[in-house]
Amino acid sequence: MTKREPILDALATVLQVPRNEPLGDVVGTFATLLDGAAEETDEFFNVPIFEFTARPVLLIVVQAETGPERDAAIEAAVELYAAAIEAAAPLDANVTDVRVLPPEMARQELWGALPMKGAEVTIEIDYWADRATG
């Protein structure tokens, strides 16, 4: 098992969200942790150590009747999850840094459904491993 898997599992546990769940019927708030894009790698040769940067994405979707209610709900959800991540860092002994990036908000009409609004929050996690596969 790579070092990445327990880190992502720990992050999902801290956030109390599932990993890689498809968007289902949204009632209230839906969130899932997506594994994210490919990682960057640096290698240090004195002692073979590899440093990785993982970029999982937290997908958040909220449902509310009015635009202001949707805006308030998505902002509250983003703040809640960001605070949970910051309070739980470093997540694992191999983690050297955790950064929550600003959210990317979806258009007001999400997938043609007016009462929903979404955001993607990228989380950068720097960690090390003793092999190139992570």
Side-chain angles (χ1 to χ4, degrees), residues 1 7 11 38 40 42 46 57-58 62 64 76-77 79-80 85 93 99 109 113 118 123 134:
M1 177 187 303
I7 293 168
L11 181 58
E40 293 179 8
D42 289 325
N46 193 3
V57 175
L58 178 64
V62 297
E79 286 300 317
L80 177 74
I85 294 166
R99 294 173 300 282
E109 292 182 16
I123 304 153

Side-chain angles (χ1 to χ4, degrees), residues 64-71 108:
E65 287 303 313
T66 68
E69 289 174 332
R70 285 188 295 277
D71 292 343
Q108 193 70 3

Side-chain angles (χ1 to χ4, degrees), residues 2-8 19 34-42 50-56 123-129 131-134:
T2 66
K3 304 282 186 190
R4 180 178 198 245
E5 283 302 307
I7 293 168
L8 293 179
R19 270 181 70 192
L34 306 173
D35 287 352
E39 303 177 13
E40 293 179 8
T41 307
D42 289 325
F50 299 87
E51 185 177 68
F52 297 89
T53 301
R55 289 183 179 79
I123 304 153
E124 290 186 337
I125 303 172
D126 295 333
Y127 67 98
W128 62 269
R131 57 187 182 166
T133 58

Side-chain angles (χ1 to χ4, degrees), residues 76-123:
V78 167
E79 286 300 317
L80 177 74
Y81 287 121
I85 294 166
E86 291 167 1
L91 299 173
D92 185 272
N94 297 344
V95 174
T96 58
D97 194 19
V98 177
R99 294 173 300 282
V100 179
L101 302 182
E104 292 184 35
M105 298 294 180
R107 293 190 179 112
Q108 193 70 3
E109 292 182 16
L110 185 66
W111 302 296
L114 185 59
M116 293 192 294
K117 187 170 185 176
E120 290 184 349
V121 180
T122 300
I123 304 153

